[in-house]
Amino acid sequence: MTEEDQTSLPIIDIGPLLIDDSNDNRKEETALQIHQACRHWGFFYVKNHGIPMKLQEELIEFSRKYFSLPLETKMQISMNKGGRAWRGYFPVGNELTSGKPDGKEGLYFGTEIDDDNHPKIRNKIPLHGRNQFPPIGKDENEFRHVILTYMTTMENLGRIIMSGLARSLKLDVNFFDKNYFLNEPTCLFRIFNYPASFCQQEGNQDLWGVGEHTDYGMLTILLQDDIGGLQVKINHNKWIDAPPIPNTFICNIGDMLDRMTSGYYRSTPHRVRNLSQSHDRLSFPFFLDPNWDTEILPIPMEGITTNEDDAENRWDKASVHKFSGTYGEYLLKKVSRVFPNLAEEQTIIGTNSY
């Protein structure tokens, strides 16, 4: 079957990667499937991932309870109260993709740093610090516990998937841990709610909850509810659906992996729309990205032919290969485009700097 004939993303059993004493041949088989998925699609499902269903269900349940609250209640933890950490709630229309408001509301989280003596806090580095947690559950810390537990399990899962991806590139299995994640990868977690009411409003019928885009970092791991609406662009003009499959996660590679592999593995455009007219759609993307202070350089890939810069064919016409600097510097410029008003308010980046 050719790429043009493909109508669904591959589903990869990553069970062998989770077992230390697993047969090495089975791990190599899994790595080959990851390689094929990254070369052809940039997206794939993973199953047998070891994440408890109970944790997934609790995350969905608490999130629905939060987003059903009145707007004024949700705004009690708005992002502009989170300072330079850029954590908390934003309402529908406050996040931009390609300069256009998205039809979603959401919660932003990152690695919890509650130590004021942490170097990133002392130096007032943006996107680091304390989270703002919704007081949902039997006590105000119950949702907090679920979120932090989920983030820890996702980081562990992401590192395991990246070990398979390293194998797929004929690299040392710990290559990304040693060279890019180190002891402190950049871990970001979002909870998005796509209200059914948004699509029913006059003029919004043909709008997307999130328009065409690629992800900034290395690896995204997505949990979605049963509504559906994610689409993946597999060539210049063909989109395919990525529907929910029970107890799987969708993984996709981001711009930094595209950069690291000199285009051998491409980041893939995708978009989202709520397919239901009566139910809100929830999604839970977790982003496992390089250490904030790491310079993103091409990785050694002997015997592999890389691709030329594809900026002209990208959705944003921007090159991921020409910038210089650290991942933190790159990420700040990108995120500041998503929330320009917040960026100016926190004096994180000037309006003419991106």
Side-chain angles (χ1 to χ4, degrees):
M1 179 180 291
T2 67
E3 178 177 338
E4 286 74 18
D5 295 329
Q6 183 79 12
T7 58
S8 60
L9 300 174
I11 304 173
I12 301 176
D13 181 351
I14 62 167
L17 300 179
L18 275 65
I19 305 172
D20 290 337
D21 60 353
S22 175
N23 183 292
D24 202 58
N25 288 335
R26 292 190 62 201
K27 291 186 177 181
E28 291 299 329
E29 290 173 5
T30 302
L32 177 59
Q33 293 179 50
I34 292 175
H35 166 77
Q36 293 170 338
C38 290
R39 282 290 287 162
H40 295 298
W41 317 118
F43 270 77
F44 54 93
Y45 293 85
V46 295
K47 66 178 183 178
N48 292 333
H49 44 69
I51 307 302
M53 275 299 300
K54 184 175 186 293
L55 179 60
Q56 300 175 51
E57 291 167 350
E58 288 179 337
L59 185 64
I60 292 173
E61 178 186 355
F62 283 131
S63 298
R64 289 207 187 283
K65 288 180 179 179
Y66 173 75
F67 288 116
S68 67
L69 295 173
L71 178 59
E72 58 269 24
T73 303
K74 290 182 285 189
M75 289 296 289
Q76 291 175 4
I77 57 168
S78 64
M79 290 182 69
N80 59 13
K81 296 180 180 179
R84 298 174 73 83
W86 253 344
R87 312 278 173 82
Y89 170 78
F90 70 87
V92 174
N94 272 37
E95 186 173 75
L96 306 181
T97 301
S98 299
K100 298 178 181 179
D102 293 339
K104 69 177 188 294
E105 59 183 334
L107 288 163
Y108 267 44
F109 301 100
T111 301
E112 177 76 351
I113 303 177
D114 56 9
D115 179 6
D116 291 337
N117 290 317
H118 189 286
K120 292 288 193 294
I121 306 303
R122 288 202 313 268
N123 295 322
K124 298 182 179 179
I125 303 300
L127 301 182
H128 293 78
R130 293 179 173 87
N131 290 290
Q132 297 191 87
F133 295 101
I136 301 293
K138 297 176 183 178
D139 62 70
E140 64 179 19
N141 291 318
E142 192 169 5
F143 197 10
R144 178 185 192 275
H145 174 73
V146 169
I147 292 168
L148 292 179
T149 300
Y150 185 82
M151 290 180 64
T152 298
T153 60
M154 285 295 104
E155 180 183 343
N156 293 337
L157 176 61
R159 287 176 182 264
I160 289 169
I161 294 171
M162 290 302 298
S163 74
L165 201 144
R167 285 177 180 268
S168 80
L169 293 169
K170 309 302 180 185
L171 300 170
D172 179 82
V173 67
N174 296 313
F175 176 84
F176 292 105
D177 273 335
K178 292 177 180 178
N179 293 279
Y180 289 103
F181 298 144
L182 308 177
N183 294 323
E184 194 175 14
T186 303
C187 295
L188 303 172
F189 177 49
R190 315 295 190 226
I191 302 178
F192 292 141
N193 185 60
Y194 298 80
S197 58
F198 174 80
C199 299
Q200 297 170 5
Q201 295 172 9
E202 186 68 28
N204 290 354
Q205 292 86 346
D206 297 323
L207 294 181
W208 289 85
V210 179
E212 179 179 351
H213 68 285
T214 54
D215 293 342
Y216 311 139
M218 288 180 68
L219 178 71
T220 304
I221 308 175
L222 176 71
L223 170 67
Q224 54 180 338
D225 66 8
D226 58 358
I227 298 296
L230 174 62
Q231 288 191 338
V232 176
K233 195 175 189 178
I234 61 172
N235 59 38
H236 294 320
N237 55 19
K238 182 177 180 180
W239 293 86
I240 63 171
D241 293 327
I245 299 176
N247 204 21
T248 67
F249 293 93
I250 293 179
C251 297
N252 64 280
I253 57 179
D255 293 341
M256 289 303 94
L257 199 56
D258 190 328
R259 175 182 170 84
M260 290 176 194
T261 62
S262 300
Y264 187 65
Y265 287 173
R266 291 286 195 205
S267 53
T268 302
H270 47 288
R271 62 189 183 185
V272 179
R273 174 184 286 157
N274 185 354
L275 299 180
S276 173
Q277 296 184 356
S278 57
H279 293 86
D280 293 358
R281 176 189 185 269
L282 285 173
S283 70
F284 305 84
F286 178 87
F287 304 94
L288 179 63
D289 295 343
N291 180 283
W292 185 266
D293 299 312
T294 300
E295 188 175 359
I296 309 302
L297 301 173
I299 59 180
M301 298 190 301
E302 295 183 9
I304 294 178
T305 302
T306 57
N307 297 329
E308 296 181 357
D309 195 338
D310 66 338
E312 284 304 310
N313 294 322
R314 278 178 57 89
W315 63 281
D316 56 358
K317 305 299 182 184
S319 173
V320 301
H321 303 282
K322 292 182 178 178
F323 85 90
S324 61
T326 65
Y327 179 65
E329 292 168 339
Y330 177 83
L331 181 61
L332 274 183
K333 290 182 179 180
K334 290 292 187 179
V335 174
S336 295
R337 292 178 180 177
V338 176
F339 291 103
N341 293 337
L342 188 61
E344 292 180 48
E345 182 179 315
Q346 298 300 331
T347 63
I348 290 172
I349 184 168
T351 55
N352 295 321
S353 301
Y354 55 91

